[in-house]
């Protein structure tokens, strides 16, 4: 008997939990008797009724597991907690709770990772219909930049929605970084991936949890986590300054030889000082970003704190036991 565990990060998803469960259990019950399935809801510190709804489902259905965080730690931490628990299954899936990731793809994905000889079957967005134009622009620009400067290539249309063999998840879990950028991690571990085109779907209910500022932070985490190229910018900037100052020096010398009364103008000098100052600040800023990340990694704090669970997971709350 094969085991399949579907990890579902949830943050304030009370409007979709029941719908999600109905749709997914319809699909999983249609799978052959070869499969035993678990849905692992990871409640990422929701402040609405999400956890209560999940617990009600768990009372009715033993295939429902939940891991509930002590506060909101972010989707990356929720996926990690889910994978840490689910890695014991033969196949591990990740999908959003809002039904933007169509459960109908699950059987096809399973076929690819079982009979198809693939290690991962992952969904790839075939369009961006219905998405906020500004967010689409930011997202496309981000992927263009990161793919230019990083050795880890990340497909712009790749989604977190995927089913992986446990060997892939084991490899993912060996990556110890605290500031996690899963799209990069999925690509970094490699393996044989089957991409499945998936039309963009509207959220079934509720609202997106990703504001533009959250997305920007995510983009910065992605770039700094997967390339040291920005550190090299300071080298290019200093080369540019050296060149400019040499040109300026030669120019001033020649002017002095031609006309001994020549004095370099004040505004020009000030502009040069500001120019150099700004360059130094940019370099220090980039350095600071990396150092702050090194500091976060060195502190080695846990990525999340579990307050309640019905899994045999390490938790710090008062409830639990499988
Ligand atoms: N999510 C989460 N923690 C967060 C933000 C989001 O667990 O801090 C979950 C959310 O409940 C959903 C998934 O991550 O299941 C994707 O979030 P959302 O649908 O808001 O993002 P979008 O689809 O708009 O990119
Ligand atoms: Mg969504």
């Amino acid at each position: 008997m094969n085991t399949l565990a579907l990890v579902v990060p949830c943050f304030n998803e009370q409007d979709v939990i029941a719908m999600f469960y109905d749709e997914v259990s319809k699909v999983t019950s249609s799978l052959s008797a070869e499969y035993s399935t678990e849905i692992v809801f990871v409640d990422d510190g929701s402040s609405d009724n999400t956890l209560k709804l999940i617990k009600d489902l768990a009372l009715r259905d033993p295939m429902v597991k939940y891991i509930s965080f002590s506060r909101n730690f972010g989707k990356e931490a929720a996926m990690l907690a889910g994978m840490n628990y689910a890695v014991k299954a033969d196949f591990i899936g990740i999908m959003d709770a809002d039904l933007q990731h169509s459960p109908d793809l699950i059987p096809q994905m399973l076929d690819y990772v079982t009979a198809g000889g693939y290690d991962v079957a992952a969904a790839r967005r075939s369009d961006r219909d219905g998405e906020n134009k500004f967010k689409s622009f930011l997202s496309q620009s981000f992927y263009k930049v990161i793919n230019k400067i990083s050795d880890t290539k990340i497909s712009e249309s790749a989604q977190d929605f995927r089913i992986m063999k446990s060997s892939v998840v084991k490899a993912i879990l060996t990556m110890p970084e605290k500031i996690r950028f899963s799209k990069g991690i999925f690509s970094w571990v490699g393996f044989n991936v089957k991409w499945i085109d998936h039309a963009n779907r509207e959220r079934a209910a509720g609202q997106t949890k990703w504001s533009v500022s959250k997305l920007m932070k995510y983009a910065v985490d992605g770039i700094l986590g997967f390339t040291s190229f920005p550190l090299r910018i300071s080298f290019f900037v200093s080369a540019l300054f050296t060149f400019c100052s040499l040109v300026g020096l030669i120019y001033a010398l020649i002017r002095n030889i031609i006309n001994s009364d020549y004095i370099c103008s004040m505004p020009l000098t000030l502009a040069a000082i500001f120019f150099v100052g700004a360059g130094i600040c940019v370099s220090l800023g980039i350095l600071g970003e990396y150092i702050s990340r090194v500091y976060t990694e060195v502190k080695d704090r846990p990525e999340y704190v579990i307050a309640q669970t019905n899994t045999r997971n390490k938790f710090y709350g008062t409830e639990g036991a499988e």
Side-chain angles (χ1 to χ4, degrees):
M1 163 93 69
N2 282 321
T3 48
L4 166 69
L6 295 170
V7 173
V8 191
C10 309
F11 177 48
N12 292 342
E13 297 289 9
Q14 63 179 15
D15 299 330
V16 289
I17 291 293
M19 261 187 275
F20 174 89
Y21 172 77
D22 289 345
E23 282 217 20
V24 170
S25 36
K26 238 183 267 162
V27 172
T28 53
S29 56
S30 74
L31 293 173
S32 79
E34 298 275 284
Y35 285 101
S36 125
T37 315
E38 272 187 352
I39 304 180
V40 186
F41 287 105
V42 185
D43 164 44
D44 184 13
S46 300
S47 52
D48 65 0
N49 259 336
T50 301
L51 179 60
K52 183 177 178 315
L53 293 171
I54 297 171
K55 281 179 163 180
D56 290 347
L57 289 175
L59 284 179
R60 274 175 29 210
D61 182 350
M63 92 172 183
V64 172
K65 302 288 173 206
Y66 63 86
I67 295 168
S68 176
F69 289 172
S70 59
R71 65 167 170 85
N72 178 243
F73 282 89
K75 184 184 175 188
E76 287 291 329
M79 289 194 289
L80 179 67
M83 284 190 282
N84 268 330
Y85 166 73
V87 66
K88 62 180 170 48
D90 301 309
F91 302 102
I92 296 100
I94 297 184
M95 56 196 303
D96 288 357
D98 57 10
L99 289 172
Q100 281 189 290
H101 295 163
S102 168
D104 299 339
L105 283 191
I106 293 172
Q108 197 186 343
M109 285 182 164
L110 276 174
D111 284 346
Y112 282 120
V113 291
T114 49
Y118 288 93
D119 301 303
V120 180
R124 183 165 60 181
R125 196 193 329 242
S126 56
D127 59 68
R128 283 187 174 269
D129 293 354
E131 200 182 77
N132 177 308
K133 294 271 171 292
F134 182 57
K135 271 191 184 175
S136 294
F137 168 75
L138 285 182
S139 164
Q140 280 162 342
S141 316
F142 162 71
Y143 285 105
K144 265 189 202 138
V145 171
I146 196 161
N147 282 321
K148 272 229 158 67
I149 62 179
S150 168
D151 293 336
T152 308
K153 299 296 165 219
I154 303 168
S155 159
E156 185 208 317
S157 45
Q159 296 182 313
D160 293 335
F161 180 24
R162 56 193 57 226
I163 288 183
M164 300 167 278
K165 282 186 178 165
S166 69
S167 50
V168 179
V169 175
K170 277 179 194 146
I172 290 170
L173 295 177
T174 60
M175 298 180 73
E177 53 240 69
K178 304 285 167 189
I179 303 171
R180 297 182 79 84
F181 178 71
S182 281
K183 286 197 168 67
I185 291 175
F186 291 148
S187 164
W188 190 91
V189 293
F191 290 100
N192 205 1
V193 181
K194 172 69 193 172
W195 291 104
I196 301 171
D197 287 324
H198 181 225
N200 213 16
R201 284 175 122 210
E202 295 270 320
R203 206 173 219 286
Q207 281 184 350
T208 176
K209 313 296 177 304
W210 292 86
S211 59
V212 171
S213 66
K214 243 181 158 179
L215 281 173
M216 296 287 247
K217 186 186 165 296
Y218 188 63
V220 171
D221 285 348
I223 290 177
L224 300 192
F226 281 88
T227 172
S228 311
F229 178 83
L231 284 175
R232 261 178 265 150
I233 292 175
S234 48
F235 170 74
F236 295 128
V237 170
S238 62
L240 179 74
F241 286 162
T242 312
F243 176 74
C244 291
S245 60
L246 272 177
V247 171
L249 199 71
I250 293 167
Y251 174 76
L253 272 174
I254 294 173
R255 284 287 300 260
N256 243 316
I257 294 166
I258 297 170
N259 173 8
S260 56
D261 293 340
Y262 172 72
I263 303 163
C264 197
S265 80
M266 193 64 176
L268 203 72
T269 317
L270 277 179
I273 291 172
F274 282 132
F275 185 53
V276 173
I280 294 171
C281 287
V282 168
S283 307
L284 282 178
I286 295 170
L287 210 64
E289 281 293 322
Y290 278 97
I291 291 173
S292 83
R293 275 158 174 77
V294 172
Y295 182 51
T296 304
E297 299 293 340
V298 166
K299 276 190 287 189
D300 201 25
R301 288 182 182 163
E303 291 87 346
Y304 51 83
V305 175
I306 299 174
Q308 299 180 45
T309 179
N310 65 345
T311 67
R312 284 185 206 285
N313 223 310
K314 204 165 75 174
F315 72 100
Y316 306 89
T318 50
E319 213 170 317
E322 202 167 13

